[in-house]
mmCIF file of all heavy atoms in Angstrom:
data_model
loop_
_atom_site.group_PDB
_atom_site.id
_atom_site.type_symbol
_atom_site.label_atom_id
_atom_site.label_comp_id
_atom_site.label_asym_id
_atom_site.label_seq_id
_atom_site.Cartn_x
_atom_site.Cartn_y
_atom_site.Cartn_z
ATOM 1 N N PHE U 272 85.353 90.364 85.724
ATOM 2 C CA PHE U 272 85.357 90.666 87.155
ATOM 3 C C PHE U 272 84.510 91.902 87.436
ATOM 4 O O PHE U 272 84.559 92.873 86.679
ATOM 5 C CB PHE U 272 86.788 90.909 87.651
ATOM 6 C CG PHE U 272 87.672 89.701 87.582
ATOM 7 C CD1 PHE U 272 88.374 89.397 86.423
ATOM 8 C CD2 PHE U 272 87.821 88.871 88.674
ATOM 9 C CE1 PHE U 272 89.194 88.289 86.347
ATOM 10 C CE2 PHE U 272 88.640 87.749 88.611
ATOM 11 C CZ PHE U 272 89.324 87.460 87.449
ATOM 12 N N GLN U 273 83.794 91.872 88.521
ATOM 13 C CA GLN U 273 82.951 92.999 88.892
ATOM 14 C C GLN U 273 83.720 94.071 89.651
ATOM 15 O O GLN U 273 83.305 95.227 89.674
ATOM 16 C CB GLN U 273 81.769 92.508 89.727
ATOM 17 C CG GLN U 273 80.800 91.626 88.928
ATOM 18 C CD GLN U 273 79.639 91.128 89.757
ATOM 19 O OE1 GLN U 273 79.508 91.506 90.919
ATOM 20 N NE2 GLN U 273 78.821 90.282 89.173
ATOM 21 N N THR U 274 84.823 93.702 90.275
ATOM 22 C CA THR U 274 85.689 94.677 90.938
ATOM 23 C C THR U 274 87.109 94.500 90.424
ATOM 24 O O THR U 274 87.532 93.399 90.107
ATOM 25 C CB THR U 274 85.671 94.507 92.470
ATOM 26 O OG1 THR U 274 86.085 93.178 92.801
ATOM 27 C CG2 THR U 274 84.275 94.748 93.031
ATOM 28 N N ALA U 275 87.831 95.596 90.349
ATOM 29 C CA ALA U 275 89.162 95.575 89.745
ATOM 30 C C ALA U 275 90.182 94.919 90.672
ATOM 31 O O ALA U 275 90.288 95.289 91.841
ATOM 32 C CB ALA U 275 89.610 96.992 89.424
ATOM 33 N N PRO U 276 90.953 93.944 90.172
ATOM 34 C CA PRO U 276 92.046 93.385 90.983
ATOM 35 C C PRO U 276 93.199 94.385 91.052
ATOM 36 O O PRO U 276 93.358 95.229 90.161
ATOM 37 C CB PRO U 276 92.451 92.133 90.205
ATOM 38 C CG PRO U 276 92.083 92.432 88.791
ATOM 39 C CD PRO U 276 90.851 93.298 88.856
ATOM 40 N N PRO U 277 94.013 94.324 92.102
ATOM 41 C CA PRO U 277 95.188 95.197 92.166
ATOM 42 C C PRO U 277 96.195 94.815 91.082
ATOM 43 O O PRO U 277 96.316 93.652 90.721
ATOM 44 C CB PRO U 277 95.754 94.931 93.570
ATOM 45 C CG PRO U 277 95.226 93.583 93.948
ATOM 46 C CD PRO U 277 93.894 93.452 93.282
ATOM 47 N N TRP U 278 96.901 95.821 90.544
ATOM 48 C CA TRP U 278 97.913 95.551 89.527
ATOM 49 C C TRP U 278 99.070 96.532 89.675
ATOM 50 O O TRP U 278 98.914 97.646 90.173
ATOM 51 C CB TRP U 278 97.336 95.613 88.113
ATOM 52 C CG TRP U 278 96.653 96.908 87.747
ATOM 53 C CD1 TRP U 278 95.323 97.198 87.821
ATOM 54 C CD2 TRP U 278 97.283 98.091 87.226
ATOM 55 N NE1 TRP U 278 95.080 98.476 87.396
ATOM 56 C CE2 TRP U 278 96.256 99.050 87.018
ATOM 57 C CE3 TRP U 278 98.588 98.439 86.907
ATOM 58 C CZ2 TRP U 278 96.511 100.334 86.520
ATOM 59 C CZ3 TRP U 278 98.857 99.713 86.414
ATOM 60 C CH2 TRP U 278 97.817 100.643 86.220
ATOM 61 N N ILE U 279 100.266 96.071 89.244
ATOM 62 C CA ILE U 279 101.490 96.875 89.316
ATOM 63 C C ILE U 279 102.322 96.618 88.062
ATOM 64 O O ILE U 279 102.469 95.479 87.634
ATOM 65 C CB ILE U 279 102.335 96.506 90.554
ATOM 66 C CG1 ILE U 279 101.527 96.662 91.847
ATOM 67 C CG2 ILE U 279 103.591 97.376 90.630
ATOM 68 C CD1 ILE U 279 102.274 96.195 93.089
ATOM 69 N N MET U 280 102.873 97.689 87.479
ATOM 70 C CA MET U 280 103.789 97.563 86.343
ATOM 71 C C MET U 280 105.220 97.429 86.861
ATOM 72 O O MET U 280 105.634 98.159 87.763
ATOM 73 C CB MET U 280 103.668 98.772 85.424
ATOM 74 C CG MET U 280 102.323 98.893 84.737
ATOM 75 S SD MET U 280 102.219 100.349 83.655
ATOM 76 C CE MET U 280 103.429 99.915 82.394
ATOM 77 N N THR U 281 105.989 96.489 86.277
ATOM 78 C CA THR U 281 107.337 96.213 86.776
ATOM 79 C C THR U 281 108.341 95.997 85.650
ATOM 80 O O THR U 281 107.971 95.749 84.505
ATOM 81 C CB THR U 281 107.351 94.953 87.675
ATOM 82 O OG1 THR U 281 107.190 93.788 86.851
ATOM 83 C CG2 THR U 281 106.247 95.001 88.715
ATOM 84 N N SER U 282 109.601 96.058 86.020
ATOM 85 C CA SER U 282 110.707 95.668 85.142
ATOM 86 C C SER U 282 111.851 95.185 86.015
ATOM 87 O O SER U 282 112.313 95.916 86.898
ATOM 88 C CB SER U 282 111.183 96.840 84.278
ATOM 89 O OG SER U 282 112.430 96.537 83.687
ATOM 90 N N SER U 283 112.303 93.965 85.785
ATOM 91 C CA SER U 283 113.439 93.438 86.535
ATOM 92 C C SER U 283 114.754 94.064 86.068
ATOM 93 O O SER U 283 115.755 94.015 86.780
ATOM 94 C CB SER U 283 113.506 91.915 86.383
ATOM 95 O OG SER U 283 112.352 91.310 86.922
ATOM 96 N N VAL U 284 114.744 94.665 84.886
ATOM 97 C CA VAL U 284 115.947 95.312 84.349
ATOM 98 C C VAL U 284 116.183 96.651 85.036
ATOM 99 O O VAL U 284 117.301 96.979 85.458
ATOM 100 C CB VAL U 284 115.834 95.500 82.821
ATOM 101 C CG1 VAL U 284 117.022 96.288 82.289
ATOM 102 C CG2 VAL U 284 115.731 94.150 82.134
ATOM 103 N N THR U 285 115.128 97.453 85.166
ATOM 104 C CA THR U 285 115.247 98.786 85.755
ATOM 105 C C THR U 285 114.812 98.836 87.228
ATOM 106 O O THR U 285 114.930 99.873 87.875
ATOM 107 C CB THR U 285 114.390 99.785 84.972
ATOM 108 O OG1 THR U 285 113.001 99.426 85.116
ATOM 109 C CG2 THR U 285 114.745 99.769 83.487
ATOM 110 N N ASN U 286 114.299 97.712 87.739
ATOM 111 C CA ASN U 286 113.746 97.626 89.099
ATOM 112 C C ASN U 286 112.482 98.460 89.269
ATOM 113 O O ASN U 286 112.070 98.742 90.402
ATOM 114 C CB ASN U 286 114.780 98.023 90.149
ATOM 115 C CG ASN U 286 115.810 96.939 90.387
ATOM 116 O OD1 ASN U 286 115.495 95.752 90.340
ATOM 117 N ND2 ASN U 286 117.054 97.334 90.631
#
Side-chain angles (χ1 to χ4, degrees):
F272 294 87
Q273 293 179 4
T274 58
W278 56 265
I279 303 175
M280 294 180 66
T281 73
S282 166
S283 297
V284 175
T285 65
N286 284 325

